[in-house]
Amino acid sequence: MRRIGNAHARATRSGMARVFLTGNLKQLTGGAAEFDIDAHDVRAVLRALVKLHPVLEPHLEEGIAVAIDGEIFQDAWFAEVRADSEVHIMPRIAGG
Amino acid sequence: MAKSHVTTTINGDPVEFLCTTEQTLLDVLRDELQLTGSKEGCASGDCGACSVMLDGRLVCSCLVLGVEVEGRSVETIEGMAQGDHLHPLQQKFLDHAALQCGICTPGFLIAAKALLEKNPDPTETEVRYWLAGNLCRCTGYDKIVRAVMDAATEMRGA
Amino acid sequence: MASASDTAKLKWVGQRGPRPDGVDKVTGRARFGADISTPGMLVGRVLRSPHPHARIRSIDTSAAEALAGVKAVVTSRDFPDLPSEFVPAGEMLVNYRDVSRNVMAREKVLYEGHPVAAVAATDAAIAKQALALIKVDYEVLPHVLDVVKAMQPDAPLLHEDMYTLGVDPVPAKPSNIAKRVEFACGDIAAGFKAADIVVEHTFTTQPVHQGYIEPHACLANFSEDGSADLWCSTQGHFVVRGHCARLLGMSLSSLRVTASEIGGGFGGKTVVYLEPLALALSRKSGKPVKMAMTRDEVFRATGPAPGASVYVKMGTTKDGRITAAQGELCYQAGAFQGAPIQPGAMCAFAPYDLENVQSVGYDVVVNRPKAAAYRAPGGPIAEFAVESVIDEMAKTIGMDPIEFRLKNAAKEGTRAVYGAKFGPIGLVEGLQAARAHPHYTAPLGPNQGRGIAAGFWFNIGGESCANINVGEDGTVTLMVGTPDIGGSRASLCQQAAEVLGIELHKIRPLIADTSSLGYTFLTGGSRATFASGMAVIEAADDVVRQMRERAAKVWEIPVEAVTWEDGMAKPAGSNAGEFEPLSFADIAKMAGKSGGPLVGKAAINAQGAGPSFGVHMVDVELDRGTGKVSVIRYTVIQDAGKAVHPSYVEGQMQGGAVQGIGWALNEEYIYGEDGKLQNAGFLDYRIPVCSDVPMIDTVIIEVPNPSHRYGVRGVGETPIVPPMAAIANAVENASGVRFTALPMSPPRVLKAITGAALPDAAE
């Protein structure tokens, strides 16, 4: 389900980022956990997800971090998402 | 409640103050005399952050009443340095990074000074047991013990 | 990207220099939360619930208000009823409806110690008398303290509107389970089928307090114009401003919060307790109000790390490849939801490269104080369980515990169950360093045992600002926004000196108040040296650029032709012209005439925090007569990326390890059947003292974090993650008994190893 895909193959398949929901968010979408989304930055990805599943909105507004091709971004609306990026929506990281 | 008038010596200086019979020496130092170097961590004698010397004896100032110091002599952290000359213990604590947040540091310095006055050449075990009445949550005690032993060496002229 | 050769040329980063705030701390001059006074100030005190669970029928404050010397009394009536809204703060998302109720109870009290009213009076004695005059009519309700009991359908219900989030379908009835989270990948059923050996246990841990020696304290001063000053001991004064402004209905700019020196926090001072109360009392009385908690109040009413019940099942092949990992973590949130189950579930198995993982967490409310962050929140509990099971698997297949971990270790590129991939990390290097360390092969005596464990923390970046103000004499003030809880002022000055090229002693740091600097997130998540560091570097770069521009103007050459080297502007080559270098001080002196004052600034949201992995080795000796476990040797190995000030990195490693020793061997809250805390003081809630521990040896590994110019990784939290498992593994090695419950205190150990109980021994 989450094996690292071949980025090269994906680029030829579609020009869209592959977005995965982790943790509880899947339960809000009735199980849908993987999406192909055409977006150039984190904010655009989140807005596209909310359009598909409005119930996600409050959860995506606060409390999440985003891993783009593995690298974690938190509160970074304009972090770049490329056509072949793999994006994971995960809970916010914190500390004490 | 009527207050008592107390005359005492603090860090070598003559001092007078008023306090209720309920106020501890720690309360007096901090609230009446603005000597806030001694800290309240527990008010029950368990943490040592309020350590001072009373007539040359190491005590928790939260366990001494303000009225008890009438006619006696108190030494606090504020009296440890001489002008801008730090005591070797103070300097070694800095050199060894023996403090992180620093809240327990005055208590440790007073307690360590009392140890070295009594035993100028303590072993690591003796240092650890003497300082067991001073709690530190930041450092894990390692650098504190090293600083005390290094200060002891320097003070012995060894 | 930082590389070994770059860092070899560094002048300040990596040195053990003097600490800017050090002298004031060894002389007692430094001012902590309770060390400030102001003329006319009142003393504030809190009335707290004596019951663990009760409905408040009425509160009558009239007698207290009438007492001479009492200037204000507040209850929940003085605070707005805030709607449910989640915002990030510290470690957890906080819900303001819950925050306002935790700070001052509204309909119910949910733990012994829950505030129900507060007074401000002209002295402490009158304040104490006033509390006794407040009449509260309680309807006592049954209470529940244990997480497993609280999850049962017939448990006393804390919140009538709590319907478990994250389960499908939504439950028909409310319960004490606020939330369920799940992370999964692969196929654990297939993974367990492929295993030769499967190990499973349920682990139990108790709540433990962060144990900061300085109780919470603050001084609030409201002006009649509606603005206020607040001095408080906190890890995050901008976060305090946000919470208090919301709770008091103020604008952010009308509340100026100054962070005092802080006497320990470890996550426990990322939330508000007294501050909104002091502000409300000050506003109502028209006078400054000082409040400080007693140690008793700290234990009864401030948030510990949760207690937990954790089930872990893992499978491995005979030749040491882990094939499946399953975990179910039930954490006690205390009276309001928000236990760190997400980070716990995320980091549990993350140190290992695994295909088949399922990690489930439950956030459960109980009648105890609301849990707060404690150093790597959620992580230590999860790793205690996982690293114990890993140790047992290694032993069962007859493999060396380090070899077993190396065989499965996460590396650069390994993907975790929550979707992120690790960048360069130092787990393998840490394990190799442990294997090569003399501690690993030192002989053990009778009743002695050795254990190892690994762990990590994600670390965070976050919003950070820095200003550098250049004085006319070439000395500099560095303003940052992250309170200094462990020496970060030193490392921030070192990073600034490195970029600016000036002597370290010419830089004076200041933790700016909330009105004087841009928003800076709290000190936590091991972020200060990393994220404030990045801001400091950027502000210093800004100063250097301006200095080059001034030199270029003076020399009448393009700015591209001016280099900055060793704190001096120099022409880039002989083509640029024959000019004597201009020093930092030279340019500072002419700042006014050459364009204006020189001020560097940065306002960033730092990304790219690198996780820090640690490996701990511990030797213990068991006293079979008393059950006492003594720690006789301890080594902490940890990846710092780049140790800016090695002494303070070592300090974090040693301090976290000793907190973990306390968590493993002795610390726990002891409640009676009546739901009241019995050990609310340092005598009976016994944290490690100097004589309990040996020297803590440290080995700093440096696998640079590519996001930071000098390769810095946060180090503060990781050291508390491995100790409990390392010690449990050592105890197993010494005694043959696998402890799955913490703490491993003498009565419990004695009972387990001899089968006998001492009279009246605690269970």
Side-chain angles (χ1 to χ4, degrees):
Chain A
M1 168 182 114
R2 65 131 186 81
R3 291 320 290 154
I4 301 165
N6 184 321
H8 189 60
R10 219 165 333 129
T12 57
R13 181 185 68 217
S14 72
M16 300 213 263
R18 190 115 181 104
V19 178
F20 298 84
L21 295 181
T22 55
N24 275 15
L25 297 174
K26 291 185 281 201
Q27 282 152 336
L28 295 168
T29 60
E34 295 181 32
F35 305 84
D36 285 317
I37 290 185
D38 185 8
H40 56 284
D41 63 27
V42 167
R43 187 159 176 261
V45 167
L46 299 179
R47 291 172 80 176
L49 283 171
V50 168
K51 235 181 161 163
L52 287 169
H53 294 278
V55 67
L56 287 175
E57 183 164 21
H59 300 270
L60 296 183
E61 205 139 286
E62 298 293 354
I64 56 137
V66 173
I68 304 174
D69 296 318
E71 194 185 336
I72 297 180
F73 292 86
Q74 194 152 283
D75 294 332
W77 273 353
F78 305 115
E80 191 196 352
V81 172
R82 288 186 314 279
D84 60 352
S85 286
E86 210 174 275
V87 178
H88 289 253
I89 313 289
M90 43 187 265
R92 184 183 188 80
I93 310 282
Chain B
M1 172 186 303
K3 294 193 177 179
S4 305
H5 177 264
V6 177
T7 306
T8 186
T9 305
I10 300 188
N11 297 325
D13 295 329
V15 172
E16 293 179 47
F17 59 83
L18 294 175
C19 71
T20 66
T21 49
E22 279 185 348
Q23 281 177 285
T24 64
L25 174 59
L26 181 65
D27 292 333
V28 167
L29 288 171
R30 292 179 55 80
D31 300 334
E32 308 302 333
L33 301 174
Q34 281 72 53
L35 292 168
T36 56
S38 306
K39 308 297 181 192
E40 178 177 315
C42 69
S44 54
D46 300 312
C47 76
C50 66
S51 301
V52 300
M53 301 293 280
L54 180 58
D55 285 347
R57 182 183 159 201
L58 179 66
V59 297
C60 282
S61 58
C62 71
L63 296 180
V64 176
L65 295 175
V67 294
E68 284 186 76
V69 304
E70 170 72 39
R72 298 167 80 179
S73 164
V74 179
E75 291 163 57
T76 72
I77 185 68
E78 287 88 350
M80 196 160 173
Q82 299 301 312
D84 63 352
H85 266 80
L86 295 179
H87 187 281
L89 275 166
Q90 290 171 307
Q91 189 58 52
K92 290 298 181 187
F93 264 58
L94 293 174
D95 296 342
H96 284 268
L99 58 143
Q100 288 181 30
C101 78
I103 192 85
C104 70
T105 305
F108 268 98
L109 287 168
I110 295 287
K113 182 163 178 267
L115 167 66
L116 298 184
E117 276 160 11
K118 209 174 145 117
N119 178 359
D121 192 4
T123 63
E124 180 188 328
T125 303
E126 285 170 328
V127 170
R128 285 185 179 278
Y129 275 87
W130 183 273
L131 295 177
N134 290 78
L135 299 183
C136 174
R137 198 55 158 167
C138 293
T139 68
Y141 305 106
D142 182 296
K143 294 180 188 299
I144 291 176
V145 173
R146 290 180 202 273
V148 173
M149 300 200 54
D150 194 12
T153 303
E154 182 177 300
M155 286 164 71
R156 286 197 306 275
Chain C
M1 171 165 172
S3 73
S5 59
D6 287 342
T7 56
K9 291 180 290 197
L10 296 173
K11 186 171 177 191
W12 300 108
V13 168
Q15 300 305 312
R16 297 174 192 260
R19 182 172 156 169
D21 52 317
V23 173
D24 280 357
K25 289 192 168 159
V26 299
T27 56
R29 188 184 287 273
R31 291 190 305 169
F32 292 81
D35 294 339
I36 196 180
S37 294
T38 195
M41 76 184 187
L42 305 174
V43 174
R45 295 297 311 275
V46 179
L47 181 66
R48 298 180 181 278
S49 166
H51 305 293
H53 194 194
R55 218 172 294 281
I56 300 175
R57 286 205 198 96
S58 65
I59 304 181
D60 180 0
T61 58
S62 52
E65 288 173 61
L67 183 65
V70 171
K71 300 300 180 189
V73 179
V74 296
T75 64
S76 62
R77 287 189 292 264
D78 295 278
F79 295 91
D81 190 355
L82 295 176
S84 190
E85 182 191 356
F86 281 95
V87 288
E91 119 12 74
M92 296 168 262
L93 281 183
V94 291
N95 182 315
Y96 272 113
R97 194 190 59 173
D98 291 347
V99 170
S100 67
R101 279 165 175 73
N102 193 41
V103 156
M104 181 66 79
R106 296 190 88 89
E107 310 83 4
K108 285 170 99 170
V109 290
L110 292 161
Y111 53 98
E112 186 214 6
H114 199 163
V116 297
V119 307
T122 49
D123 69 40
I126 295 175
K128 188 174 165 188
Q129 250 185 298
L131 293 184
L133 293 173
I134 298 175
K135 301 190 209 19
V136 186
D137 185 14
Y138 293 106
E139 178 197 329
V140 178
L141 301 168
H143 61 272
V144 59
L145 300 177
D146 174 75
V147 65
V148 172
K149 291 203 178 110
M151 292 171 80
Q152 305 311 310
D154 55 346
L157 192 64
L158 272 73
H159 301 281
E160 274 105 38
D161 60 352
M162 183 168 282
Y163 292 85
T164 312
L165 279 178
V167 296
D168 190 28
V170 175
K173 284 172 51 172
S175 71
N176 293 320
I177 305 171
K179 199 173 185 172
R180 178 187 187 278
V181 296
E182 179 172 337
F183 300 89
C185 60
D187 178 350
I188 53 164
F192 282 122
K193 269 218 188 66
D196 295 318
I197 307 285
V198 171
V199 173
E200 63 185 309
H201 286 295
T202 299
F203 297 83
T204 312
T205 72
Q206 300 302 316
V208 292
H209 196 269
Q210 301 82 353
Y212 32 85
I213 306 300
E214 179 206 24
H216 300 259
C218 65
L219 191 149
N221 200 348
F222 242 98
S223 160
E224 287 77 4
D225 73 1
S227 69
D229 275 327
L230 177 69
W231 163 277
C232 62
S233 172
T234 178
Q235 293 173 239
H237 46 316
F238 288 85
V239 169
V240 169
R241 180 182 72 168
H243 287 334
C244 289
R246 185 69 64 100
L247 291 167
L248 272 89
M250 296 169 75
S251 71
L252 294 171
S253 57
S254 48
L255 176 57
R256 179 170 70 158
V257 185
T258 303
S260 69
E261 297 297 334
I262 170 176
F266 314 109
K269 289 184 180 163
T270 57
V271 291
V272 293
Y273 296 108
L274 297 176
E275 297 78 5
L277 305 181
L279 281 164
L281 288 166
S282 179
R283 183 164 62 182
K284 208 167 182 183
S285 64
K287 294 225 176 300
V289 174
K290 180 173 176 178
M291 297 184 79
M293 283 198 194
T294 62
R295 180 55 53 183
D296 187 275
E297 289 178 291
V298 173
F299 275 114
R300 276 186 219 282
T302 67
S309 172
V310 177
Y311 168 77
V312 169
K313 176 178 172 187
M314 297 176 77
T316 179
T317 62
K318 280 197 302 283
D319 52 326
R321 190 73 185 99
I322 300 175
T323 58
Q326 184 182 16
E328 189 179 278
L329 292 68
C330 304
Y331 286 11
Q332 285 172 12
F336 299 93
Q337 63 182 288
I341 47 164
Q342 297 207 111
M346 285 160 69
C347 83
F349 302 110
Y352 302 101
D353 182 4
L354 305 175
E355 251 188 65
N356 306 308
V357 178
Q358 185 198 40
S359 201
V360 173
Y362 290 97
D363 183 12
V364 182
V365 294
V366 294
N367 292 113
R368 292 171 182 257
K370 178 171 167 37
Y374 180 15
R375 218 162 184 162
I381 299 168
E383 289 315 308
F384 164 57
V386 171
E387 288 290 307
S388 295
V389 168
I390 289 204
D391 198 63
E392 193 169 318
M393 288 196 292
K395 188 172 181 187
T396 308
I397 63 173
M399 188 174 269
D400 171 88
I402 291 186
E403 286 314 309
F404 185 59
R405 288 174 171 84
L406 278 168
K407 248 193 140 116
N408 295 278
K411 305 178 170 63
E412 180 169 3
T414 301
R415 185 183 298 274
V417 69
Y418 48 90
K421 244 188 327 200
F422 287 120
I425 52 171
L427 175 56
V428 166
E429 289 81 350
L431 289 165
Q432 289 168 341
R435 187 175 51 187
H437 196 283
H439 183 170
Y440 198 57
T441 47
L444 286 166
N447 293 313
Q448 293 182 357
R450 181 167 297 144
I452 70 146
F456 86 112
W457 192 246
F458 317 87
N459 297 337
I460 64 172
E463 292 153 286
S464 314
C465 293
N467 281 357
I468 296 180
N469 298 322
V470 180
E472 315 88 276
D473 62 354
T475 64
V476 145
T477 52
L478 170 63
M479 320 271 282
V480 294
T482 37
D484 183 349
I485 60 181
S488 52
R489 256 169 297 204
S491 63
L492 294 175
C493 285
Q494 286 169 263
Q495 293 179 69
E498 198 70 58
V499 175
L500 297 174
I502 60 176
E503 296 291 301
L504 189 61
H505 69 86
K506 295 203 168 170
I507 305 178
R508 285 279 183 183
L510 192 72
I511 313 296
D513 66 48
T514 57
S515 297
S516 307
L517 190 69
Y519 183 90
T520 299
F521 194 53
L522 51 79
T523 297
S526 309
R527 73 178 216 95
T529 304
F530 168 73
S532 267
M534 282 175 77
V536 163
I537 289 169
E538 190 173 305
D541 281 343
D542 188 16
V543 170
V544 165
R545 180 186 50 78
Q546 292 176 56
M547 291 245 161
R548 286 171 55 229
E549 282 167 0
R550 301 299 171 96
K553 284 217 173 83
V554 163
W555 293 336
E556 295 176 4
I557 62 177
V559 65
E560 297 75 33
V562 179
T563 62
W564 188 262
E565 239 176 83
D566 300 321
M568 306 225 255
K570 296 180 180 167
S574 51
N575 289 353
E578 298 288 323
F579 298 107
E580 283 303 302
L582 282 170
S583 73
F584 192 96
D586 292 335
I587 301 174
K589 191 170 175 185
M590 58 165 113
K593 295 189 173 73
S594 63
L598 289 159
V599 173
K601 84 174 210 345
I604 66 173
N605 190 328
Q607 306 292 331
S612 175
F613 278 83
V615 179
H616 290 208
M617 274 191 289
V618 58
D619 292 351
V620 301
E621 185 173 293
L622 197 46
D623 180 329
R624 289 182 180 274
T626 62
K628 180 165 195 264
V629 174
S630 298
V631 174
I632 54 178
R633 186 168 179 180
Y634 205 107
T635 304
V636 178
I637 298 166
Q638 190 172 334
D639 177 14
K642 175 66 186 170
V644 176
H645 194 309
S647 305
Y648 290 105
V649 172
E650 290 160 359
Q652 294 299 312
M653 293 160 73
Q654 294 166 332
V658 171
Q659 285 181 317
I661 290 172
W663 199 330
L665 292 178
N666 208 60
E667 291 176 42
E668 62 179 314
Y669 280 57
I670 298 173
Y671 280 89
E673 281 303 307
D674 56 3
K676 301 192 190 193
L677 186 60
Q678 295 179 349
N679 63 336
F682 277 133
L683 184 64
D684 296 316
Y685 181 94
R686 192 169 168 304
I687 69 176
V689 305
C690 200
S691 48
D692 288 331
V693 293
M695 294 297 185
I696 310 287
D697 293 325
T698 56
V699 176
I700 297 175
I701 297 208
E702 293 180 329
V703 174
N705 173 9
S707 306
H708 186 281
R709 182 171 306 176
Y710 304 119
V712 167
R713 292 174 194 277
V715 296
E717 290 168 289
T718 296
I720 203 175
V721 179
M724 289 98 84
I727 293 171
N729 295 340
V731 171
E732 196 278 336
N733 188 241
S735 67
V737 177
R738 165 65 55 194
F739 280 87
T740 57
L742 295 182
M744 294 174 280
S745 53
R748 292 206 185 89
V749 171
L750 189 66
K751 181 161 189 221
I753 61 177
T754 64
L758 290 174
D760 301 318
E763 274 295 80

